[in-house]
Amino acid sequence: MSVTMEVSKLSHSEQTIRTHDSKGITNRRHNEGHRHGLPSRVQRTVALRAMLILSLIAATAICSSLAYTQLQETERNVGLETYRSIALSATRGAQAITERKFQGSEVMGTLVGQIL
């Protein structure tokens, strides 16, 4: 019984080994990368895609947190400036009203003084 083996390359990562014997042909596929302890092309692609997705998620998280802190600080500053502006305007309005009341009471006092 004679057994012969022939090896044909299908692609960079797979080989087909055919064993011929008196009963027929049996095909077995071997992954070349696994035989030598190296990852296959598919495993490398999956690993690289996973690394890409993880790095994109990390970049998104970093950019989002930086944008959040910047927007939070900006909103805080806008809120403080708006409050100061409204408070200053209200103080000026209250002073104007008080001055008009004093002037009105002085005029009334002068008129009453002239009448009596």
Side-chain angles (χ1 to χ4, degrees):
M1 180 169 178
S2 109
V3 175
T4 60
M5 293 178 70
E6 67 181 64
V7 177
S8 64
K9 281 200 166 193
L10 292 177
S11 68
H12 292 293
S13 62
E14 290 185 349
Q15 279 189 345
T16 302
I17 298 175
R18 293 182 184 159
T19 56
H20 300 276
D21 60 7
S22 60
K23 296 180 182 177
I25 297 174
T26 305
N27 288 332
R28 293 186 310 195
R29 290 188 182 261
H30 291 280
N31 194 328
E32 187 177 90
H34 284 299
R35 220 173 27 179
H36 298 292
L38 300 173
S40 72
R41 179 176 283 175
V42 173
Q43 287 175 332
R44 249 183 308 204
T45 303
V46 170
L48 289 174
R49 285 181 183 172
M51 286 175 46
L52 174 67
I53 290 171
L54 290 176
S55 65
L56 288 175
I57 289 171
T60 302
I62 291 169
C63 289
S64 297
S65 64
L66 289 176
Y68 175 76
T69 55
Q70 289 295 321
L71 285 175
Q72 185 179 19
E73 184 67 25
T74 302
E75 286 181 8
R76 184 179 153 272
N77 290 339
V78 168
L80 285 175
E81 290 302 318
T82 302
Y83 175 77
R84 288 179 183 147
S85 174
I86 292 171
L88 183 61
S89 176
T91 303
R92 288 182 183 157
Q95 286 174 347
I97 291 171
T98 305
E99 286 178 17
R100 283 194 299 266
K101 286 185 179 183
F102 281 134
Q103 289 173 355
S105 59
E106 286 178 2
V107 170
M108 290 294 274
T110 304
L111 286 175
V112 169
Q114 289 179 357
I115 294 176
L116 296 174

